[in-house]
Amino acid sequence: MARPRSFDPDDVLEIARQVFWQKGFQATSLDEITAASGVAKPSLYAAFGDKNALFLKVLDRYHDGILGWAERTLAQPVPAREAIRQWLTGFIPYCSGEKGQRGCLSINSATDGSLDQAELRRSIERYNRRLEELLRTRLRADRAEFRKGFDPDVTAHTIMVVHAGLLALAHQRPDSKRVKAVIDQVMSLLA
Amino acid sequence: MARPRSFDPDDVLEIARQVFWQKGFQATSLDEITAASGVAKPSLYAAFGDKNALFLKVLDRYHDGILGWAERTLAQPVPAREAIRQWLTGFIPYCSGEKGQRGCLSINSATDGSLDQAELRRSIERYNRRLEELLRTRLRADRAEFRKGFDPDVTAHTIMVVHAGLLALAHQRPDSKRVKAVIDQVMSLLA
DNA sequence: TTCGTTGTGTACTAGTAAGTACAGAATAAG
DNA sequence: CTTATTCTGTACTTACTAGTACACAACGAA
């Protein structure tokens, strides 16, 4: 009973994600989210809590989306090299800005000194840990593809570093050819 | 003639750098810089202009400092491999947080969506271009050290990406052993 | 000492943004 | 239809912050 909600919370999180991604947490006002989503502030507060809680939900949802895609990409029945190359290549649109958004919401948030809330840091840390674990697991499983002495753990971390670097530098609007060249060169570590 | 300034502008820029670095541009209020430096707002405005102009001066000064250090490090009369390893290794304290500050002010600023001012982006872009140019020049000069087919231009860019990735992930408080391991692995591209 | 000039500190203005009170609308149950 | 309940929209409060007006202090010059 009682009056039903007039909006889909997931739609609002999607819109909020776009706004937060583009402008950053601090610079985004709830009035802007209200304007973009058509949902008034009291409804936002009732549905998601305060601005921090809303952002945390947005970020968790973002993380889940990328992790799901990473799982699918890295589970493909192709050589680990190829799966990982596809995973890295999948970020190119976010480096060159084809998808409208640039860089990575998670990395943008991690480098934002104002977001030093414990919960946010934990969410980002968990995300990074899981992503690296997917890479590590795949590299260990297909160890046979690689040379003697290949270290899947260090390599997984190196790939995470390259991935973070590409998305951090995405804000410079790099040419996608250069991004591809870097990926190619880094793939030579998987041998 | 007239009353002399009661503070050294460079000291204030140094203090402002620390505050901006720690909290980010948006989250830092001029009142905080006043509190940290002991210089009142009207004096800050008279000396540096508004908040944006102050931040731009802080950022330029930061860039100059790192570029100077990079020039010195990369000009050393050692093999290019060794010079570049030392350059990368020099960032480890900013990855593990030994110096109090984490990550890189420039990268933090680049990933901050609220800083979409043309001048700031230009400053960051110029910085990245010069840094990469230092690497590229050194790699080209010592090309003889490396294998046939070695590409100094792509490699310089890859090193920039790794550098950015390490400093972006610095906010996760990584173990410095893992940072070293990544640097070691990436150095294997210089062969 | 006196004056012109420039820096300093206090106290203010104006604008913005987070969060909320409250009146009214929309629903299901009885 | 009536009522209890939950959501919605307007309008408000509160707090903070960028930027400034103004009176005063500190100096060099004459």
Side-chain angles (χ1 to χ4, degrees), chain A residues 119-147:
Chain A
E119 276 192 300
L120 278 174
R121 262 228 311 279
R122 264 197 300 263
S123 174
I124 295 170
E125 195 188 316
R126 193 168 51 233
Y127 166 68
N128 280 304
R129 197 171 52 235
R130 287 184 183 171
L131 220 43
E132 184 166 337
E133 201 172 311
L134 288 173
L135 292 168
R136 189 170 50 232
T137 302
R138 183 69 211 252
L139 287 174
R140 283 182 179 168
D142 289 15
R143 202 175 215 146
E145 284 181 30
F146 307 111
R147 68 176 187 283

Side-chain angles (χ1 to χ4, degrees), chain A residues 110-111 132 155 158 171 178 185, chain B residues 111 132 155 158 171 178 185:
Chain A
T111 57
E132 184 166 337
T155 305
T158 298
H171 298 268
R178 307 191 74 195
Q185 195 174 41
Chain B
T111 57
E132 184 165 337
T155 305
T158 298
H171 298 269
R178 307 192 75 194
Q185 196 174 39

Side-chain angles (χ1 to χ4, degrees), chain A residues 161-180:
Chain A
V161 167
V162 169
H163 151 260
L166 287 173
L167 288 165
L169 292 183
H171 298 268
Q172 277 184 258
R173 308 173 180 279
D175 180 4
S176 61
K177 277 166 74 173
R178 307 191 74 195
V179 177
K180 276 198 197 98

Side-chain angles (χ1 to χ4, degrees), chain B residues 119-135:
Chain B
E119 275 191 302
L120 278 174
R121 262 228 310 277
R122 265 198 299 263
S123 174
I124 295 171
E125 194 187 316
R126 194 169 51 232
Y127 167 68
N128 280 303
R129 198 171 51 235
R130 287 184 184 171
L131 220 43
E132 184 165 337
E133 201 172 310
L134 289 174
L135 292 168

Side-chain angles (χ1 to χ4, degrees), chain B residues 94-113:
Chain B
Y94 299 97
C95 294
S96 55
E98 292 161 32
K99 299 244 179 169
Q101 307 287 2
R102 274 188 197 273
C104 166
L105 177 62
S106 187
I107 290 173
N108 295 354
S109 305
T111 57
D112 183 341

Side-chain angles (χ1 to χ4, degrees), chain A residues 25 55-64 67 104-132 160 163-164, chain B residues 168-173:
Chain A
F25 173 76
F55 186 70
L56 188 60
K57 286 185 172 65
V58 166
L59 193 61
D60 279 339
R61 187 172 165 284
Y62 173 81
H63 287 159
D64 288 344
L67 283 170
C104 165
L105 178 61
S106 186
I107 289 173
N108 295 354
S109 306
T111 57
D112 182 341
S114 69
L115 292 179
D116 245 352
Q117 308 172 53
E119 276 192 300
L120 278 174
R121 262 228 311 279
R122 264 197 300 263
S123 174
I124 295 170
E125 195 188 316
R126 193 168 51 233
Y127 166 68
N128 280 304
R129 197 171 52 235
R130 287 184 183 171
L131 220 43
E132 184 166 337
M160 287 294 291
H163 151 260
Chain B
L169 293 183
H171 298 269
Q172 276 184 258
R173 310 173 181 278

